[in-house]
Amino acid sequence: MSLQRACMCPLIVTRGSDQLPLSSKFQDRQDPGVIRNYGYLLLEMSQVVPDGIVGFFTSYIFMEEVVQMWSEMGILQKVMKDKLLFVETPDVIETSLALDNYKRACDCGRGAVFLSVARGKVAEGIDFDRHYGRCVIMFGVPYQYTESRILKARLEYLLETFQIRESDFLSFDAMRQATQCLGRVIRSKSDYGVMILADKRYNRPDKRNKLPAWITQFMQPSHTNVSTDIAVSIAQDFLRKLSQPISASSTESLPTNSLSTFSTPSIETKALWSEADVISAVLKNMPASLENTRWESLLTAQQNKKQRLD
């Protein structure tokens, strides 16, 4: 899919506003400072991002622990002053109702936050296009549960058959899942949104280099190691710019079947060109597969008219 403009703003947030590193590693999950910084990242984003925000956690257990601590810290109450809050659960019916109410809140202009889990139902098949997803936040690196017997057997097979190390496969799989979560907000050419990877490990070359090209082409070097306050400022400027109507100056690439991609030099600068001259220039630069008899007949008619006038 070719994109009409730089519609993505990927950010790697490695630390909070107090410079405490962000990480979902097992030894850091109970750190109140890390949980508080994750909460303030969501809070400050909810104050500058319009409409919908989607947050993904690495597991249901981690999400429940974080949400509980956010509630005890009073962060959830502050978030709900700006947006409504909905949470994915293992129950399919409850999640469907939460999604429906989330979209209603976005439609009416109230705005909402939807917290979900990577590898869950929402991450696998629900699209947050248009105003339903102007920002997506990936809290942590979504590694698989390494104590699973199925995963252990798969890792053993990959090592014996293809000499793929355990760490390489787990890292690749985690980045693939994170990419799938980020892609929930870009579903068409006109969509735009902020993508936040909130973990210091995303800034490592072994993680960052595994991101696909459709994300890394929009990732500026200055956006790969930022704190919460800088990320909020960058997101605010990006959303203010992208919310404006699409103009020719903001267009980076257009579909190849559009007439606007044909090279018709100096047509705009030659205001005195006749209609026949313009049609002739377009036909000259048009690929053979797109030639149209209607254009040719119109050109012939215009040339005959010009000859009669002469």
Side-chain angles (χ1 to χ4, degrees):
M1 180 179 69
S2 59
L3 300 174
Q4 293 181 327
R5 51 183 176 171
C7 59
M8 286 175 274
C9 181
L11 302 170
I12 298 180
V13 181
T14 59
R15 57 194 185 277
S17 299
D18 58 358
Q19 304 305 311
L20 182 67
L22 294 176
S23 178
S24 64
K25 295 174 65 175
F26 184 78
Q27 56 267 33
D28 296 332
R29 291 188 175 185
Q30 301 298 327
D31 189 340
V34 175
I35 302 301
R36 182 180 62 253
N37 281 334
Y38 272 142
Y40 279 120
L41 173 62
L42 178 62
L43 173 61
E44 295 183 29
M45 281 296 171
S46 66
Q47 294 173 348
V48 301
V49 176
D51 301 317
I53 299 177
V54 186
F56 290 98
F57 290 85
T58 57
S59 65
Y60 283 107
I61 296 177
F62 181 48
M63 181 175 67
E64 292 174 0
E65 293 175 352
V66 170
V67 170
Q68 182 179 357
M69 295 185 68
W70 283 352
S71 178
E72 296 173 353
M73 295 176 181
I75 296 177
L76 291 185
Q77 292 78 358
K78 296 179 181 178
V79 171
M80 294 183 68
K81 292 181 180 180
D82 300 299
K83 297 183 183 297
L84 299 181
L85 184 65
F86 301 92
V87 181
E88 178 187 7
T89 66
D91 187 87
V92 177
I93 298 178
E94 291 181 355
T95 300
S96 299
L97 290 174
L99 277 171
D100 184 57
N101 290 326
Y102 169 82
K103 292 185 176 181
R104 289 185 180 183
C106 294
D107 289 336
C108 71
R110 177 66 170 84
V113 175
F114 194 91
L115 302 180
S116 54
V117 176
R119 308 179 193 278
K121 173 188 174 184
V122 173
E124 295 292 338
I126 304 299
D127 294 339
F128 294 92
D129 57 333
R130 298 179 289 119
H131 60 292
Y132 298 132
R134 291 304 182 203
C135 176
V136 57
I137 306 175
M138 184 71 237
F139 295 102
V141 182
Y143 283 107
Q144 292 193 52
Y145 179 59
T146 55
E147 297 301 318
S148 170
R149 291 180 297 176
I150 297 177
L151 178 60
K152 288 183 177 180
R154 180 181 298 175
L155 293 173
E156 183 178 353
Y157 172 78
L158 291 174
L159 181 61
E160 294 177 356
T161 308
F162 303 102
Q163 290 74 50
I164 298 177
R165 295 180 300 177
E166 175 181 337
S167 59
D168 292 339
F169 173 78
L170 291 176
S171 179
F172 167 78
D173 181 72
M175 295 307 298
R176 178 179 58 181
Q177 187 60 43
T179 300
Q180 184 173 6
C181 294
L182 297 181
R184 295 296 95 195
V185 301
I186 304 295
R187 312 309 300 173
S188 68
K189 296 178 184 294
S190 59
D191 270 347
Y192 63 90
V194 179
M195 302 175 174
I196 298 178
L197 296 166
D199 196 301
K200 64 179 182 181
R201 291 173 290 177
Y202 284 116
N203 198 38
R204 298 177 182 174
D206 64 320
K207 300 290 189 303
R208 192 171 66 248
N209 294 339
K210 290 182 174 62
L211 290 171
W214 62 269
I215 292 180
T216 56
Q217 64 178 325
F218 298 110
M219 183 174 289
Q220 302 179 20
S222 59
H223 294 176
T224 58
N225 185 17
V226 300
S227 58
T228 297
D229 52 344
I230 297 177
V232 171
S233 177
I234 294 173
Q236 189 174 17
D237 292 340
F238 171 81
L239 293 171
R240 184 186 298 113
K241 177 182 177 182
L242 269 291
S243 62
Q244 304 302 316
I246 299 177
S247 61
S249 60
S250 63
T251 302
E252 291 195 347
S253 62
L254 293 174
T256 56
N257 60 349
S258 173
L259 290 177
S260 58
T261 60
F262 299 156
S263 57
T264 54
S266 302
I267 287 182
E268 297 83 356
T269 59
K270 294 190 177 182
L272 298 180
W273 275 24
S274 66
E275 185 177 357
D277 294 328
V278 175
I279 297 174
S280 178
V282 172
L283 280 176
K284 183 179 179 181
N285 292 277
M286 183 182 295
S289 59
L290 294 179
E291 290 182 359
N292 194 306
T293 56
R294 178 174 177 272
W295 281 89
E296 295 178 354
S297 61
L298 182 58
L299 174 61
T300 303
Q302 290 293 331
Q303 290 176 343
N304 294 337
K305 181 180 178 181
K306 184 177 181 181
Q307 290 175 0
R308 287 196 303 269
L309 292 175
D310 294 338

